[in-house]
Amino acid sequence: MDFGIVLQTDPPASAVVELMRRAERNGFRYGWTFDSAVLWQEPFVIHSRILEHTRDLTVGPMVTNPGTRTWEVTASTFATLNDMYGNRTVCGIGRGDSAMRVAGRRPHTLAALGRAIDVIRDLAEGRETEIEGQPLRIPWVRNGRLPVWMAAYGPKALALAGQKADGFILQLADPYLTEWMVRAVRTAAADAGRDPGSVTVCVAAPAYVGDDLAHAREQCRWFGGMVGNHVADLVSRYGEHSDAVPEALTAYIKERHGYDYGHHGRAGNPSADFVPDEIVDRFCLLGPPRAHIDRLRALRDLGVDQFAVYAMHDAKEATVDAYGAEVIPALHA
């Protein structure tokens, strides 16, 4: 199992770069950042510094979207980073949540997302494609490679990930839901004539190492609120009780009342007060190292290839170090 770290690009950027370096020293192989250029600093500028100051770390957004930059700009940005640092980027992409809604726009349709996946990958890897009827190719790309991993929860999005994406990003660490969603992605891949095993599976969730579970829950409760944004979209589309979406995912948002993006992804987010302890425990990894190891082994058995640690709490460095000392070696044994 590979390991990644996910950070917000809060200033100063030097602190983000340093924590990425610390993660690489501790055995993490992927460095991810949020991509919402109003709420945080522009990630791709910081990605360049991360790549410069690490040796082998693969770097990318978790996640970008088809709307805040034109597709050729996104592709050219990845291709430039790869030309400078040697094919060490990955494009995590989704419909767009905070980046779009903060700017007063709706997340994109799945049709647009599917087209964007193809266009961005083709351009970044030097192939000709078409945008709005215009043939287009980036002529200076040589031997470019850009895996595109798609974030998804709902049945249509899971199907699209299986049909088109190189990887699937699931932003929660509940084994039951992981099994359900990985099965959906791999079934869609097989139905599309692809090798289901070729789709990399990345589970991303907060991890907090320590014995004080009450404190860890309060530091990570924000995640249930963030996931709740996507769940609310699913409920509005499919209803509260639908065979298309597991009740284990949707039931907890009944007490949800709006969301303030000013606290997005941050410990103490008041918009996450509806999230019960049970959801925090199911969606996140909390407790001593052994609890993390046991959950991660269960996820690995379900086909998870990477666990990406959301490190937005008051123990970033301690959690990274604990993973490097105990958790990552146990999963590599």
Side-chain angles (χ1 to χ4, degrees):
M1 178 181 273
D2 283 334
F3 287 83
I5 184 170
V6 190
L7 301 176
Q8 293 171 336
T9 51
D10 285 316
S14 58
V16 178
V17 174
E18 184 51 43
L19 193 51
M20 291 287 186
R21 295 181 64 197
R22 188 182 194 123
E24 184 179 50
R25 292 195 300 268
N26 275 284
F28 290 75
R29 294 189 59 237
Y30 283 76
W32 303 92
T33 70
F34 278 43
D35 178 12
S36 188
V38 173
L39 296 176
W40 305 287
Q41 293 185 327
E42 168 58 33
F44 287 104
V45 176
I46 299 172
H47 290 176
S48 184
R49 296 288 289 174
I50 295 168
L51 289 161
E52 181 181 3
H53 289 281
T54 55
R55 300 183 68 184
D56 300 305
L57 203 69
T58 297
V59 176
M62 189 178 282
V63 292
T64 193
N65 67 84
T68 50
R69 304 170 191 85
T70 61
W71 301 350
E72 69 272 19
V73 169
T74 297
S76 182
T77 301
F78 279 110
T80 301
L81 292 172
N82 284 336
D83 186 65
M84 293 171 68
Y85 300 106
N87 287 340
R88 289 170 54 202
T89 66
V90 56
C91 177
I93 194 167
R95 292 175 59 230
D97 178 34
S98 61
M100 297 299 290
R101 287 178 163 129
V102 163
R105 307 184 190 111
R106 293 177 59 83
H108 280 266
T109 65
L110 288 174
L113 176 56
R115 180 68 181 139
I117 289 172
D118 290 338
V119 168
I120 291 167
R121 181 169 48 210
D122 282 346
L123 288 174
E125 294 186 346
R127 293 184 294 276
E128 182 174 298
T129 187
E130 189 176 283
I131 297 179
E132 297 181 358
Q134 175 68 37
L136 203 63
R137 184 177 72 85
I138 300 177
W140 48 264
V141 173
R142 298 288 183 274
N143 302 313
R145 181 176 178 274
L146 181 65
V148 180
W149 295 10
M150 179 183 154
Y153 292 108
K156 292 181 180 179
L158 295 169
L160 181 63
Q163 292 158 6
K164 288 187 175 289
D166 301 296
F168 162 50
I169 297 171
L170 174 58
Q171 291 162 309
L172 53 80
D174 174 74
Y176 171 78
L177 292 171
T178 298
E179 182 177 21
W180 191 89
M181 294 186 187
V182 169
R183 186 189 312 118
V185 169
R186 291 196 164 146
T187 297
D191 291 345
R194 304 179 68 199
D195 174 8
S198 69
V199 182
T200 302
V201 176
C202 173
V203 161
Y208 196 107
V209 179
D211 295 322
D212 188 344
L213 283 178
H215 180 73
R217 287 182 184 120
E218 291 312 310
Q219 287 293 303
C220 298
R221 197 175 304 278
W222 62 265
F223 184 67
M226 185 182 83
V227 173
N229 291 332
H230 304 286
V231 174
D233 285 344
L234 294 177
V235 169
S236 68
R237 190 171 299 118
Y238 297 102
E240 289 187 24
H241 306 287
S242 169
D243 293 337
V245 184
E247 190 173 357
L249 177 62
T250 61
Y252 84 98
I253 69 161
K254 291 179 181 177
E255 302 301 320
R256 179 180 181 269
H257 302 287
Y259 191 81
D260 180 359
Y261 282 93
H263 306 282
H264 190 58
R266 299 189 186 279
N269 183 346
S271 297
D273 58 357
F274 70 95
V275 180
D277 288 351
E278 179 220 352
I279 289 294
V280 182
D281 293 347
R282 281 174 44 205
F283 285 11
C284 306
L285 270 68
L286 313 174
R290 172 51 55 186
H292 294 247
I293 292 166
D294 291 345
R295 176 81 69 87
L296 289 167
R297 283 176 173 161
L299 292 171
R300 184 179 61 184
D301 290 345
L302 295 173
V304 175
D305 301 295
Q306 179 184 152
F307 178 61
V309 175
Y310 276 103
M312 274 78 79
H313 49 58
D314 64 2
K316 298 180 182 69
E317 292 82 1
T319 294
V320 166
D321 292 347
Y323 263 66
E326 300 187 60
V327 178
I328 293 176
L331 271 292
H332 287 173

Coordinates of all heavy atoms in Angstrom, one line a residue, residues 230-269:
H230 N -21.2 16.6 -0.5 CA -21.4 15.7 -1.6 C -22.6 14.8 -1.4 O -23.4 14.4 -2.3 CB -20.2 14.8 -1.8 CG -18.9 15.7 -2.0 ND1 -18.7 16.4 -3.2 CD2 -17.9 16.0 -1.2 CE1 -17.6 17.0 -3.1 NE2 -17.1 16.8 -1.9
V231 N -22.8 14.3 -0.1 CA -23.9 13.5 0.2 C -25.2 14.2 0.0 O -26.2 13.6 -0.5 CB -23.8 12.9 1.7 CG1 -25.0 12.2 2.1 CG2 -22.5 12.1 1.8
A232 N -25.3 15.5 0.4 CA -26.5 16.3 0.2 C -26.9 16.3 -1.3 O -28.1 16.3 -1.7 CB -26.3 17.7 0.7
D233 N -25.9 16.4 -2.2 CA -26.1 16.4 -3.6 C -26.8 15.1 -4.0 O -27.7 15.1 -4.9 CB -24.8 16.7 -4.4 CG -24.4 18.1 -4.4 OD1 -25.2 19.0 -4.0 OD2 -23.2 18.3 -4.7
L234 N -26.2 14.0 -3.5 CA -26.8 12.7 -3.8 C -28.2 12.5 -3.4 O -29.1 12.0 -4.1 CB -25.9 11.6 -3.2 CG -24.5 11.5 -3.7 CD1 -23.7 10.4 -3.0 CD2 -24.4 11.2 -5.2
V235 N -28.5 13.0 -2.1 CA -29.8 12.9 -1.6 C -30.8 13.7 -2.4 O -31.9 13.3 -2.7 CB -29.9 13.3 -0.1 CG1 -31.3 13.5 0.4 CG2 -29.1 12.3 0.7
S236 N -30.4 14.9 -2.9 CA -31.3 15.7 -3.7 C -31.5 15.0 -5.0 O -32.6 15.2 -5.6 CB -30.7 17.1 -3.9 OG -29.5 17.0 -4.7
R237 N -30.6 14.2 -5.5 CA -30.7 13.6 -6.8 C -31.5 12.3 -6.7 O -32.3 11.9 -7.6 CB -29.4 13.4 -7.4 CG -29.4 13.0 -8.9 CD -28.0 13.0 -9.5 NE -27.4 14.3 -9.4 CZ -26.2 14.6 -8.7 NH1 -25.6 13.7 -8.0 NH2 -25.8 15.8 -8.7
Y238 N -31.2 11.5 -5.7 CA -31.7 10.1 -5.6 C -32.8 9.9 -4.5 O -33.4 8.9 -4.5 CB -30.6 9.1 -5.4 CG -29.6 9.1 -6.5 CD1 -28.4 9.7 -6.4 CD2 -29.9 8.4 -7.7 CE1 -27.4 9.7 -7.5 CE2 -29.0 8.4 -8.8 CZ -27.8 9.0 -8.6 OH -26.9 9.0 -9.7
G239 N -32.9 10.9 -3.6 CA -33.8 10.7 -2.5 C -33.1 10.2 -1.3 O -32.0 9.6 -1.4
E240 N -33.8 10.2 -0.1 CA -33.2 9.8 1.1 C -33.1 8.3 1.2 O -32.2 7.7 1.8 CB -34.1 10.3 2.3 CG -34.0 11.8 2.6 CD -34.7 12.1 3.9 OE1 -34.9 11.3 4.7 OE2 -35.1 13.3 4.0
H241 N -34.0 7.6 0.6 CA -34.0 6.1 0.6 C -34.0 5.6 -0.8 O -35.0 5.5 -1.5 CB -35.3 5.6 1.4 CG -35.4 6.2 2.7 ND1 -34.6 5.8 3.8 CD2 -36.3 7.1 3.2 CE1 -35.0 6.5 4.9 NE2 -36.0 7.3 4.5
S242 N -32.8 5.2 -1.2 CA -32.7 4.8 -2.6 C -31.7 3.6 -2.7 O -30.6 3.6 -2.0 CB -32.1 5.9 -3.5 OG -31.7 5.5 -4.8
D243 N -32.0 2.6 -3.5 CA -31.0 1.5 -3.7 C -29.8 2.0 -4.4 O -28.8 1.3 -4.4 CB -31.7 0.4 -4.5 CG -32.9 -0.3 -3.7 OD1 -32.9 -0.2 -2.5 OD2 -33.7 -0.8 -4.4
A244 N -29.8 3.2 -5.0 CA -28.6 3.6 -5.8 C -27.5 4.1 -4.9 O -26.4 4.1 -5.3 CB -29.1 4.8 -6.7
V245 N -27.9 4.5 -3.6 CA -26.9 5.1 -2.7 C -27.1 4.4 -1.3 O -28.2 4.4 -0.8 CB -27.0 6.6 -2.6 CG1 -25.9 7.2 -1.7 CG2 -27.0 7.3 -3.9
P246 N -26.0 3.9 -0.7 CA -26.2 3.2 0.6 C -26.7 4.1 1.7 O -26.2 5.3 1.8 CB -24.8 2.6 0.9 CG -24.1 2.7 -0.4 CD -24.7 3.8 -1.2
E247 N -27.6 3.7 2.5 CA -28.1 4.5 3.6 C -27.0 4.8 4.6 O -27.0 5.8 5.3 CB -29.3 3.8 4.3 CG -30.0 4.7 5.3 CD -31.2 4.1 5.9 OE1 -31.6 3.0 5.4 OE2 -31.8 4.7 6.8
A248 N -26.0 3.9 4.6 CA -24.8 4.1 5.5 C -24.0 5.3 5.2 O -23.3 5.8 6.0 CB -23.9 2.8 5.4
L249 N -24.2 5.8 3.9 CA -23.6 7.1 3.5 C -24.5 8.3 3.8 O -24.0 9.4 4.1 CB -23.2 7.0 2.1 CG -22.6 8.3 1.4 CD1 -21.3 8.6 2.1 CD2 -22.4 8.1 -0.1
T250 N -25.8 8.1 3.6 CA -26.7 9.3 3.5 C -27.4 9.6 4.8 O -27.8 10.8 5.0 CB -27.7 9.1 2.4 OG1 -28.5 7.9 2.7 CG2 -27.1 8.9 1.0
A251 N -27.6 8.6 5.7 CA -28.5 8.8 6.8 C -28.1 10.0 7.7 O -28.9 10.7 8.3 CB -28.6 7.5 7.6
Y252 N -26.8 10.2 7.9 CA -26.3 11.1 8.9 C -26.5 12.6 8.6 O -26.3 13.4 9.5 CB -24.8 10.8 9.2 CG -23.8 11.5 8.3 CD1 -23.2 12.7 8.6 CD2 -23.5 10.9 7.0 CE1 -22.3 13.3 7.8 CE2 -22.6 11.5 6.2 CZ -21.9 12.7 6.6 OH -21.0 13.3 5.7
I253 N -26.9 12.9 7.4 CA -27.0 14.3 7.1 C -28.4 14.9 7.3 O -28.7 16.0 7.0 CB -26.6 14.6 5.6 CG1 -27.7 14.1 4.6 CG2 -25.2 14.1 5.3 CD1 -27.6 14.7 3.3
K254 N -29.3 14.1 8.0 CA -30.6 14.6 8.3 C -30.6 15.9 9.1 O -31.5 16.7 8.9 CB -31.4 13.5 9.0 CG -31.7 12.3 8.1 CD -32.5 11.3 8.9 CE -32.8 10.0 8.0 NZ -33.5 9.0 8.8
E255 N -29.7 16.1 9.9 CA -29.6 17.3 10.8 C -28.7 18.4 10.2 O -28.5 19.4 10.9 CB -29.1 16.9 12.2 CG -29.9 15.9 12.9 CD -31.4 16.3 13.1 OE1 -31.6 17.5 13.4 OE2 -32.3 15.5 12.9
R256 N -28.3 18.2 9.0 CA -27.4 19.2 8.3 C -28.3 20.4 8.0 O -29.3 20.3 7.4 CB -26.8 18.6 7.1 CG -25.9 19.5 6.3 CD -25.4 18.7 5.1 NE -24.5 19.5 4.3 CZ -24.8 20.3 3.2 NH1 -26.1 20.4 2.9 NH2 -23.9 21.0 2.6
H257 N -27.7 21.6 8.2 CA -28.4 22.9 7.9 C -27.4 23.8 7.3 O -26.8 24.7 7.9 CB -29.0 23.5 9.2 CG -29.9 22.6 9.9 ND1 -31.2 22.4 9.4 CD2 -29.8 22.0 11.1 CE1 -31.8 21.6 10.3 NE2 -31.0 21.3 11.3
G258 N -27.2 23.7 6.0 CA -26.3 24.6 5.3 C -24.8 24.3 5.5 O -24.4 23.4 6.3
Y259 N -24.0 25.2 4.9 CA -22.5 25.0 5.1 C -21.8 26.3 4.8 O -22.1 27.0 3.8 CB -22.1 23.9 4.1 CG -20.6 23.4 4.3 CD1 -20.4 22.5 5.3 CD2 -19.6 23.9 3.5 CE1 -19.1 22.1 5.5 CE2 -18.3 23.5 3.7 CZ -18.0 22.6 4.7 OH -16.7 22.2 4.9
D260 N -20.8 26.6 5.6 CA -20.1 27.8 5.5 C -18.7 27.5 5.0 O -17.9 26.9 5.8 CB -20.0 28.6 6.8 CG -19.2 29.9 6.8 OD1 -18.7 30.2 5.7 OD2 -19.1 30.6 7.8
Y261 N -18.4 27.8 3.7 CA -17.1 27.5 3.2 C -15.9 28.3 3.8 O -14.7 27.9 3.6 CB -17.1 27.6 1.7 CG -17.8 26.5 1.0 CD1 -19.1 26.6 0.7 CD2 -17.1 25.3 0.6 CE1 -19.8 25.5 0.0 CE2 -17.7 24.3 0.0 CZ -19.1 24.4 -0.3 OH -19.7 23.3 -0.9
G262 N -16.2 29.3 4.6 CA -15.2 30.0 5.3 C -14.4 29.1 6.3 O -13.3 29.4 6.7
H263 N -15.0 28.0 6.7 CA -14.4 27.0 7.6 C -14.1 25.7 7.0 O -13.8 24.7 7.7 CB -15.3 26.8 8.9 CG -15.7 28.1 9.5 ND1 -14.9 28.8 10.4 CD2 -16.9 28.8 9.5 CE1 -15.5 29.8 10.8 NE2 -16.7 29.9 10.3
H264 N -14.1 25.6 5.7 CA -14.0 24.4 4.9 C -12.7 23.7 5.2 O -11.6 24.2 5.1 CB -14.1 24.7 3.4 CG -14.2 23.5 2.5 ND1 -15.2 22.6 2.7 CD2 -13.4 23.0 1.5 CE1 -15.1 21.6 1.7 NE2 -14.0 21.9 1.0
G265 N -12.8 22.4 5.6 CA -11.7 21.6 5.8 C -10.9 21.9 7.1 O -9.7 21.6 7.2
R266 N -11.5 22.6 8.0 CA -10.7 23.1 9.2 C -11.3 22.5 10.5 O -12.5 22.4 10.7 CB -10.7 24.6 9.3 CG -10.1 25.2 8.1 CD -9.9 26.7 8.3 NE -9.4 27.4 7.1 CZ -8.1 27.4 6.7 NH1 -7.2 26.8 7.4 NH2 -7.8 28.1 5.6
A267 N -10.4 22.2 11.4 CA -10.8 21.7 12.7 C -11.6 22.8 13.4 O -11.3 24.0 13.3 CB -9.6 21.4 13.6
G268 N -12.7 22.4 14.1 CA -13.6 23.3 14.7 C -14.6 23.9 13.8 O -15.3 24.9 14.2
N269 N -14.8 23.4 12.6 CA -15.8 23.9 11.7 C -17.2 23.9 12.3 O -17.7 22.8 12.5 CB -15.7 23.1 10.4 CG -16.7 23.6 9.3 OD1 -17.5 24.4 9.5 ND2 -16.5 23.1 8.1

